[in-house]
Amino acid sequence: MSEEKMVSLNAIDDQLIEKARKEGIETMWDRDKAMKARCGFGEKGVCCRICAMGPCRVSPVEGKGAQRGICGATADTIVARNFARMVAAGTSAHSDHARDVAHVLHMASRDGNYQVKDEKKLIALAQEWEVPTEGRDIYDVAHEVAEIALNEFGKPFGTLRFPNRAPAPRQKIWEDLGITPRAIDREIATVMHSTSVGCTADAESMLRIAMRTSLSNGWGGSMLGTELSDIVFGTSTPRMTEANLGVLEEKQVNILLHGHDPCLSEMIVAAAQDPEMIKLAEEVGAEGINLGGMCCTGNEVTMRHGVKIAGTFYQQELAVLTGAIEAVIVDVQCIFPSLAPITDCYHTKFITTSPKAKVEGATHIEFNEEVALESAKKIVREAIENYKNRKQEKVFIPNSKSQAITGYSNEAVVKQLDRVVNSHIDPQGTVKPLADVLKAGVLRGAAGIVGCNNIKTKHEYSHIEIMKKLIANDVIVVTTGCAAQAAAKAGLLSKDAIKLAGKGLQAVCELVDIPPIIHLGSCVDNTRIIRLVSAVADHLGVDNSDLPVVGVAPEWMSEKAVAIGTYVVSSGIDVFLGITPPVTGSPEVVDILTNRIEDMTGAKFFVEENPLKLTDMMLERIEEKRIKLEKTLNLEAVEKHEPQPAL
Ligand code: XCC
Ligand code: SF4
């Protein structure tokens, strides 16, 4: 297949799609063909089906066709409402995930399945929340912290706690705009209310409500997800792993762990290491149990345990097509319903575990946190017992995999930077070295590259091209979600990738001993990125929007990405999208998101589907911000290095 025709950067994906065709199995690429063009009204965001007088499809062209819905809603209103609902849905997903982790912290006990793994982080959070810690049992502290966390979802008065962590000028901006988030559930409910028939009909006001809701995700639900997961499951440290479908093992029981919630995946990891399970695997003739992670669950377990990364979102069907997987174990989010029919074509068991995400045709074994390990063992046992049903003649394990370093937490980043550059100044570590190299222009800036895969683009092409071009231009990259896994598969999370970096970034990577692209975890862990940016801003005494920092979602597809993008812009960081969001039916909404929002938050959205052009836009914006920062901090302008020629 020619480079052009390939669906992804990996030849093995095409081999597996070919295998599917030969075996008469339908994949997303077949459904994409059958779908043909997408609905033009939906794509522009001008379809409203909020009440039963509709659905109303108003014309995206002024003066032509229906200009208003039956109730009189304009394209601006309809587009803004639809956008706000995407933000609310994304916020609910991340935050509900965090709620489950908070419950698990609440049930944690010294001899239980869930324990406090990072006491230091728990104590720090307790102190931040003014929970007494002196002379108390750590589990009493944990339960009180968990209860406070749970109250963040529905407290009747006041605003959330974590926005206090933002730089002071940022908090002031939020206050002035009236978008400091209140309780998480309340913000989601407010969007649902305001978007219902006959409520908000003013695009700017609607978008402000959406911004506040998104902040209840970034500085609320998602941040709780990260913090509490670190407390219960441990704060990650860098570790070596491997990535891509070649991590599957021919002679072992292969389990694909897919979804998002570490409450399940942590227990599956424990169950797979249990001697009883290993013995059972031997009894069925396997040489062991091999876990492969996918999507954000893959990120969670690789960062804390080094579990190998089987693949990204778009590879979920391809993984099954290898014929070598005994069970796909899932919880919530990003799970294709097509896994039910596709696993039916093989011996593979598709096991759903959450009442929030049952799938017709799957085997449902409900995961019970109260008896977590036992529950996980029951699920793993199903997988092991299925090994004998594997049909050798149907197995094709691609031999492709790459080395990667995963599992940086902010704590790990700071420690690494500090150990080399600054340890004599502050034993706790600070972001000073990072701020210094940014200030000095050794690094031109930083980019957070996050998000999904989308069939509308060649898979991972945008992720990889953007990453390579940024590092060649001395922009350090941090990455999460499926973007991080794309980087892992492309070998960009290894120290070998240092040679692709510009001179300045090369020098930093070598000195600090890090790859030029740093794995910061799962989608909820985008909060690690906003906290890192905020720490640097605080250190320099400026706001986030003053820093040469960008957020990028090259191949996004999920509502969660819309929520993330909105909280990142609301936090003062520009967001570059490689897929056009469904807002183009309203010139007003487009103008707010890509222009006027900058007057409110100091940042805005940029949209461009060509990844190289998109990167040029980022680099330009980074240099613009540098010039401003140099003035603010009274620095001498520092010349940019010539970029590293493409290797
Ligand atoms: Fe990947 Fe998080 Fe996107 Fe899903 S949404 S496709 S990044 S797994 Ni978070
Ligand atoms: Fe149509 Fe208005 Fe009902 Fe939407 S809310 S479906 S625009 S009548």
Side-chain angles (χ1 to χ4, degrees):
M1 234 184 257
S2 75
E3 170 89 358
E4 282 310 295
K5 282 203 184 124
M6 282 166 63
V7 298
S8 81
L9 290 178
N10 292 291
I12 57 152
D13 295 334
D14 293 281
Q15 289 169 13
L16 283 162
I17 293 168
E18 202 45 46
K19 182 174 189 278
R21 284 197 188 122
K22 276 197 199 125
E23 293 176 8
I25 295 170
E26 182 195 278
T27 64
M28 70 188 276
W29 291 275
D30 301 308
R31 293 189 294 274
D32 182 48
K33 268 200 197 122
M35 192 69 64
K36 299 200 180 93
R38 305 297 191 262
C39 166
F41 292 93
E43 210 161 39
K44 293 186 168 62
V46 289
C47 172
C48 182
R49 40 179 191 71
I50 273 169
C51 89
M53 296 194 290
C56 298
R57 314 190 306 181
V58 305
S59 168
V61 188
E62 223 179 290
K64 229 177 127 194
Q67 295 289 299
R68 287 178 181 262
I70 304 292
C71 66
T74 60
D76 297 334
T77 293
I78 293 172
V79 168
R81 286 197 302 217
N82 287 340
F83 184 86
R85 284 200 170 193
M86 289 183 90
V87 170
T91 300
S92 72
H94 285 143
S95 305
D96 208 36
H97 160 164
R99 190 191 326 256
D100 286 349
V101 183
H103 276 295
V104 154
L105 178 63
H106 198 260
M107 66 171 68
S109 64
R110 198 160 272 112
D111 51 0
N113 291 154
Y114 296 108
Q115 291 158 350
V116 172
K117 292 264 172 67
D118 190 339
E119 289 195 12
K120 210 171 132 201
K121 198 151 183 168
L122 171 64
I123 296 292
L125 183 58
Q127 285 166 350
E128 183 181 334
W129 286 353
E130 291 170 351
V131 172
T133 55
E134 276 297 305
R136 283 183 83 188
D137 185 306
I138 190 79
Y139 282 90
D140 288 340
V141 177
H143 300 155
E144 194 174 333
V145 164
E147 200 174 322
I148 295 176
L150 287 164
N151 278 321
E152 290 294 276
F153 287 85
K155 62 183 178 191
F157 306 109
T159 52
L160 291 178
R161 290 164 181 261
F162 283 155
N164 293 350
R165 292 174 160 192
R170 185 51 33 187
Q171 293 184 45
K172 173 88 173 45
I173 289 170
W174 292 337
E175 257 168 55
D176 293 347
L177 289 170
I179 61 170
T180 309
R182 304 157 303 169
I184 300 160
D185 291 347
R186 180 175 181 189
E187 297 303 359
I188 296 165
T190 299
V191 167
M192 296 316 285
H193 178 186
S194 291
T195 53
S196 66
V197 59
C199 234
T200 302
D202 175 90
E204 188 174 321
S205 162
M206 187 74 260
L207 293 177
R208 279 190 197 219
I209 293 173
M211 286 156 73
R212 188 173 57 199
T213 304
S214 76
L215 288 171
S216 80
N217 179 0
W219 297 86
S222 280
M223 201 170 277
L224 284 170
T226 297
E227 289 279 316
L228 303 184
S229 296
D230 282 354
I231 290 170
V232 186
F233 305 120
T235 304
S236 58
T237 49
R239 44 187 96 230
M240 287 301 298
T241 192
E242 293 175 333
N244 214 344
L245 290 170
V247 305
L248 298 177
E249 292 285 348
E250 227 171 278
K251 296 195 170 135
Q252 296 192 25
V253 174
N254 288 311
I255 296 178
L256 189 71
L257 263 176
H258 174 20
H260 280 79
D261 186 346
C263 302
L264 170 77
S265 51
E266 282 285 327
M267 284 301 135
I268 300 285
V269 172
Q273 291 166 348
D274 190 291
E276 185 197 340
M277 294 291 122
I278 294 170
K279 187 161 163 273
L280 184 65
E282 280 161 10
E283 280 167 19
V284 300
E287 286 177 4
I289 305 168
N290 180 42
L291 299 179
M294 177 154 278
C295 282
C296 282
T297 273
N299 284 318
E300 297 278 356
V301 290
T302 195
M303 58 193 300
R304 296 200 177 86
H305 303 283
V307 168
K308 289 174 242 168
I309 297 167
T312 45
F313 175 71
Y314 81 91
Q315 284 175 303
Q316 52 190 294
E317 292 179 318
L318 301 182
V320 177
L321 282 161
T322 62
I325 291 181
E326 277 51 65
V328 182
I329 300 173
V330 302
D331 45 44
V332 289
Q333 302 171 23
C334 298
I335 300 147
F336 276 16
S338 70
L339 289 179
I342 205 168
T343 48
D344 269 353
C345 303
Y346 294 91
H347 76 300
T348 309
K349 286 212 164 157
F350 175 32
I351 303 175
T352 55
T353 60
S354 166
K356 293 174 202 171
K358 287 193 179 180
V359 179
E360 192 192 338
T363 306
H364 187 76
I365 307 177
E366 199 142 310
F367 178 64
N368 180 354
E369 280 96 349
E370 300 282 348
V371 283
L373 187 60
E374 206 178 294
S375 204
K377 281 206 231 164
K378 191 171 158 201
I379 297 166
V380 169
R381 192 172 289 122
E382 284 280 321
I384 299 171
E385 282 168 355
N386 196 23
Y387 181 72
K388 59 180 184 298
N389 299 320
R390 193 192 288 183
K391 303 214 169 35
Q392 280 315 324
E393 67 281 8
K394 282 187 141 186
V395 172
F396 166 67
I397 300 178
N399 61 7
S400 174
K401 59 181 175 186
S402 301
Q403 299 287 317
I405 308 174
T406 58
Y408 286 92
S409 50
N410 288 9
E411 289 84 343
V413 171
V414 166
K415 202 165 148 202
Q416 193 109 353
L417 281 166
D418 223 61
R419 195 183 57 198
V420 185
V421 195
N422 207 35
S423 53
H424 56 290
I425 294 179
D426 184 350
Q428 291 298 311
T430 73
V431 291
K432 182 175 183 298
L434 183 57
D436 283 349
V437 286
L438 274 175
K439 217 164 66 173
V442 180
L443 297 185
R444 302 310 292 177
I449 303 188
V450 309
C452 328
N453 306 119
N454 190 318
I455 196 156
K456 291 179 176 169
T457 64
K458 178 163 158 178
H459 289 294
E460 290 169 3
Y461 174 76
S462 299
H463 285 310
I464 302 310
E465 290 306 309
I466 293 172
M467 287 179 189
K468 283 201 208 151
K469 192 162 173 179
L470 287 176
I471 60 171
N473 280 281
D474 287 328
V475 174
I476 192 167
V477 171
V478 294
T479 181
T480 63
C482 290
Q485 299 178 321
K489 283 157 54 184
L492 295 178
L493 298 186
S494 70
K495 288 181 195 153
D496 278 351
I498 295 178
K499 61 176 184 284
L500 302 176
K503 285 206 190 76
L505 180 54
Q506 263 186 21
V508 171
C509 290
E510 265 150 23
L511 187 69
V512 182
D513 197 28
I514 49 169
I517 302 185
I518 297 173
H519 178 272
L520 270 189
S522 66
C523 293
V524 293
D525 294 332
N526 287 325
T527 60
R528 296 192 203 271
I529 303 179
I530 53 173
R531 287 207 71 202
L532 206 51
V533 174
S534 298
V536 173
D538 268 342
H539 181 82
L540 295 175
V542 297
D543 176 51
N544 295 343
S545 61
D546 297 319
L547 296 178
V549 169
V550 296
V552 197
E555 304 178 20
W556 73 274
M557 63 84 204
S558 164
E559 290 162 320
K560 291 177 281 177
V562 180
I564 296 167
T566 307
Y567 79 62
V568 171
V569 168
S570 303
S571 300
I573 302 163
D574 292 320
V575 169
F576 292 75
L577 302 176
I579 300 280
T580 309
V583 297
T584 54
S586 164
E588 168 80 358
V589 171
V590 171
D591 185 49
I592 297 171
L593 295 176
T594 61
N595 178 25
R596 277 150 53 198
I597 200 169
E598 192 179 358
D599 295 335
M600 303 188 230
T601 68
K604 61 182 179 181
F605 283 97
F606 295 76
V607 185
E608 166 57 56
E609 297 194 349
N610 176 323
L612 297 176
K613 278 193 202 153
L614 189 68
T615 317
D616 286 336
M617 289 155 72
M618 291 171 214
L619 292 169
E620 203 179 302
R621 188 75 166 166
I622 283 174
E623 291 304 322
E624 260 173 52
K625 295 240 167 162
R626 290 203 63 82
I627 293 170
K628 272 198 219 147
L629 186 67
E630 279 154 11
K631 277 201 193 119
T632 316
L633 300 177
N634 275 325
L635 300 170
E636 283 188 28
V638 200
E639 280 299 301
K640 187 170 182 291
H641 289 292
E642 276 309 297
Q644 185 77 346
L647 289 177

